[in-house]
Amino acid sequence: MNNLGYIKSVHGSVIEAVFEENLPSINNKLIMEKQNDIIFEVIAYVDENTVQAIALTFTIGISRGDKIIDTGHTLMVPVGKEILGKMFDVFGRQLDGGPEIKNPILKSIHQKPVPFSKRSTKDEIFLTGIKVIDVMTPLAKGEKAGLFGGAGVGKSVLITELINNVAAKMNGYSIFCGIGERSREAEELYREIKEAGVLENTALIFAQMNEPPGARFRVGHAALTMAEYFRDVERKDVMLLIDNIFRFIQAGSEVSGITGKMPSRVGYQSTLASELSELEERISNTETGSITSIQAVYVPADDFTDPSATHTFSHLSASVVLSRKRASEGFYPAVNILDSSSKMLSLNVAGERHYKIANKIRMTLALYEELKDILAMLGIEELSPDDRKVVYRARKLERFLTQPFFTTEHFTGMVGKFVSLEDALEGCNRILNDEFTEYEESDFYMIGNISDAMMKREERMKGENQTDSSK
């Protein structure tokens, strides 16, 4: 705390500070002498006595000549089992108003990735209990998956359901990282997780939309430090959910702009690729534990050629693309199966049965997509008998791959369903084999296992018989 300097200049959220004795290291935390709650992080050297630092808090009240203290360390956050059930900000301060952690274990948010020699090379599927994901875009344990979509297509709802399923069915730990979240969303998510009874296995960390770009830029690193402790010390499999990785890129763009760097393509920072890699490469699995990350990726104006989307794609093992068209048709989760992909859906990893069923579903839906124009213009009567069967199969599959969620029960009134991979594959296989030609399409909508369709049909038939008898 003795390394004292003074502010030479202030440019909005960026300052230049002079330290005549000891120059602080890059990423060191600086605090104001008169206001300890104003925090900066060193980002560059200007000359042999001057550093450039970015504010991680609001800077109201500072001026040139003010004394500033080099703390001698980087930003630190609490780690360990004590953080579960609590909500934090980027500085590791609790936001939930609960009892403070006594004697917390603190770790720097800046850590090096696990070297390749210590990583696990096994390919293992991470099951979620959500039919369309487990069957068509299986997630890789210890790797990264992206939920791509524009505003309002269901990214945050899907993430909330994943937290619920991992905690309730698998007794796993989850770390939720909100980058640039609205304060309303953060509060609602905390309440939903608490009501679902899975808060004690979850830690939440937020840098909200109204906070300075420096805080939003560093909260992802803070969340990773928490997850790495569970993987490396507690030797657990942990799920890291990030909502939204685009806001991280956006915060980096703002930091780059206010520090005076020249923008690159479409106005993004020239360091976009290296900044994203610095975050993403820390997510990996070892022989004793893993971090599986599921990241919501906002796609600006639904343009998948935007640099933020293309750079994120390169880090992912699975891409789950959410479609506004499917959401408008009432298919939830609104996954566009033909645009989504996963490297786990291979013969060696998924197994022959899973691989063949998924391929048949994809071929059926692709053919249905081609036939849609004819259907719209001429109607189903003009199709050949074989094409008609394809249409009926595809429409039933589309509805079977919808699912009621636990976290939306109070909105929809439908009880949530957790579906095992075996049950999901069995249902899809039986639909592909035309075992349900007598069934209505509505029998398959928003159900869990295929047995639910049978129960739905029985209830519908009873209702129809009672209607007929009353007439």
Side-chain angles (χ1 to χ4, degrees):
M1 283 296 202
N2 297 327
N3 193 15
L4 207 61
Y6 66 88
I7 294 177
K8 179 182 173 184
S9 64
V10 181
H11 306 282
S13 293
V14 177
I15 62 162
E16 287 184 7
V18 176
F19 289 84
E20 290 169 347
E21 291 182 15
N22 296 315
L23 207 59
S25 301
I26 294 288
N27 296 330
N28 264 19
K29 175 184 171 183
L30 311 179
I31 57 173
M32 299 299 297
E33 187 184 44
K34 62 180 182 181
Q35 289 171 279
N36 287 349
D37 57 343
I38 297 180
I39 300 168
F40 296 88
E41 185 180 80
V42 177
I43 53 168
Y45 294 128
V46 179
D47 56 40
E48 63 269 17
N49 292 323
T50 313
V51 295
Q52 190 180 47
I54 185 146
L56 305 181
T57 56
F58 296 109
T59 55
I60 297 164
I62 68 166
S63 58
R64 281 187 298 173
D66 283 351
K67 294 283 191 292
I68 191 164
I69 300 166
D70 170 25
T71 61
H73 59 76
T74 61
L75 279 177
M76 314 280 272
V77 289
V79 294
K81 287 185 179 176
E82 292 77 18
I83 69 168
L84 295 171
K86 294 179 170 59
M87 188 196 291
F88 301 91
D89 65 7
V90 69
F91 309 110
R93 298 181 300 214
Q94 276 181 237
L95 302 174
D96 51 27
E100 294 285 322
I101 300 171
K102 291 176 183 175
N103 304 318
I105 305 166
L106 296 174
K107 285 266 188 184
S108 167
I109 68 166
H110 299 282
Q111 302 286 344
K112 289 184 178 176
V114 175
F116 286 124
S117 59
K118 292 186 179 175
R119 296 192 183 193
S120 170
T121 54
K122 293 174 189 168
D123 281 325
E124 200 176 330
I125 291 177
F126 182 87
L127 297 174
T128 64
I130 298 169
K131 285 181 288 192
V132 68
I133 291 178
D134 288 346
V135 174
M136 299 309 300
T137 56
L139 308 183
K141 188 177 180 181
E143 294 196 33
K144 297 156 282 256
L147 300 178
F148 288 82
V153 293
K155 297 186 298 297
S156 297
V157 171
L158 200 47
I159 274 183
T160 315
E161 185 69 4
L162 286 164
I163 291 176
N164 178 79
N165 288 1
V166 166
K169 301 292 180 184
M170 303 167 203
N171 297 318
Y173 295 153
S174 301
I175 308 282
F176 180 89
C177 174
I179 306 177
E181 288 280 279
R182 298 167 186 86
S183 54
R184 170 187 61 78
E185 290 175 331
E187 191 275 330
E188 282 176 4
L189 179 72
Y190 179 78
R191 203 155 20 89
E192 281 170 14
I193 290 173
K194 196 171 184 179
E195 286 170 7
V198 295
L199 184 63
E200 63 273 12
N201 286 331
T202 310
L204 300 97
I205 182 164
F206 289 97
Q208 286 159 209
M209 203 174 262
N210 63 326
E211 292 185 47
R216 287 181 271 125
F217 189 53
R218 286 297 178 221
V219 73
H221 297 273
L224 261 166
T225 299
M226 292 175 170
E228 282 167 343
Y229 186 86
F230 284 124
R231 179 193 65 194
D232 301 334
V233 180
E234 300 281 346
R235 300 192 167 195
K236 295 280 187 183
D237 295 325
V238 58
M239 187 164 72
L240 173 66
L241 299 117
I242 301 176
D243 189 6
N244 188 304
I245 204 73
F246 171 76
R247 306 282 177 215
F248 167 77
I249 294 168
Q250 196 176 42
S253 180
E254 289 175 51
V255 168
S256 179
I258 58 183
T259 52
K261 290 175 185 167
M262 187 71 76
S264 183
R265 186 175 154 222
V266 201
Y268 286 102
Q269 65 272 38
S270 53
T271 51
L272 190 159
S274 58
E275 285 170 4
L276 191 60
S277 299
E278 193 183 332
L279 184 79
E280 298 280 14
E281 288 306 304
R282 287 171 63 183
I283 299 165
S284 64
N285 59 348
T286 64
E287 292 295 340
T288 54
S290 67
I291 299 173
T292 304
S293 179
I294 296 162
Q295 307 170 4
V297 187
Y298 168 69
V299 182
D302 292 346
D303 176 16
F304 284 86
T305 63
D306 188 89
S308 65
T310 54
H311 278 84
T312 308
F313 262 123
S314 63
H315 289 279
L316 306 174
S317 60
S319 300
V320 181
V321 179
L322 300 178
S323 153
R324 195 174 303 283
K325 185 171 179 290
R326 287 186 66 75
S328 67
E329 290 169 349
F331 295 127
Y332 289 104
V335 177
N336 185 327
I337 291 166
L338 299 178
D339 287 349
S340 301
S341 62
S342 169
K343 73 166 198 178
M344 301 302 282
L345 198 57
S346 67
L347 206 58
N348 296 333
V349 180
E352 188 178 0
R353 182 165 180 260
H354 186 171
Y355 178 75
K356 284 185 174 176
I357 290 171
N359 263 0
K360 275 186 187 176
I361 293 169
R362 197 176 288 276
M363 286 166 62
T364 303
L365 294 177
L367 192 52
Y368 175 49
E369 200 64 34
E370 288 173 18
L371 294 169
K372 274 184 178 176
D373 288 341
I374 300 170
L375 284 169
M377 288 186 291
L378 304 172
I380 198 164
E381 293 77 17
E382 297 300 316
L383 295 178
S384 67
D386 285 345
D387 283 349
R388 268 186 234 180
K389 282 181 182 177
V390 167
V391 170
Y392 291 138
R393 263 183 234 133
R395 290 174 67 88
K396 282 169 186 166
L397 281 168
E398 277 186 333
R399 282 150 183 80
F400 179 64
L401 292 173
T402 61
Q403 190 168 338
F405 283 173
F406 293 98
T407 50
T408 57
E409 283 179 7
H410 53 295
F411 293 123
T412 61
M414 298 178 191
V415 178
K417 302 280 185 180
F418 183 98
V419 184
S420 69
L421 176 60
E422 186 51 45
D423 287 343
L425 288 173
E426 186 200 353
C428 292
N429 195 36
R430 291 177 70 180
I431 292 169
L432 287 166
N433 292 334
D434 293 332
E435 287 187 33
F436 301 102
T437 48
E438 302 299 317
Y439 283 59
E440 296 285 332
E441 289 167 9
S442 59
D443 295 336
F444 299 91
Y445 181 66
M446 284 292 174
I447 59 168
N449 301 339
I450 199 71
S451 56
D452 293 348
M454 299 172 189
M455 287 167 61
K456 222 173 173 183
R457 184 172 187 255
E458 280 176 24
E459 286 171 15
R460 182 171 54 78
M461 299 290 277
K462 275 182 194 172
E464 286 173 6
N465 291 338
Q466 283 172 2
T467 309
D468 290 343
S469 60
S470 64
K471 285 178 183 178

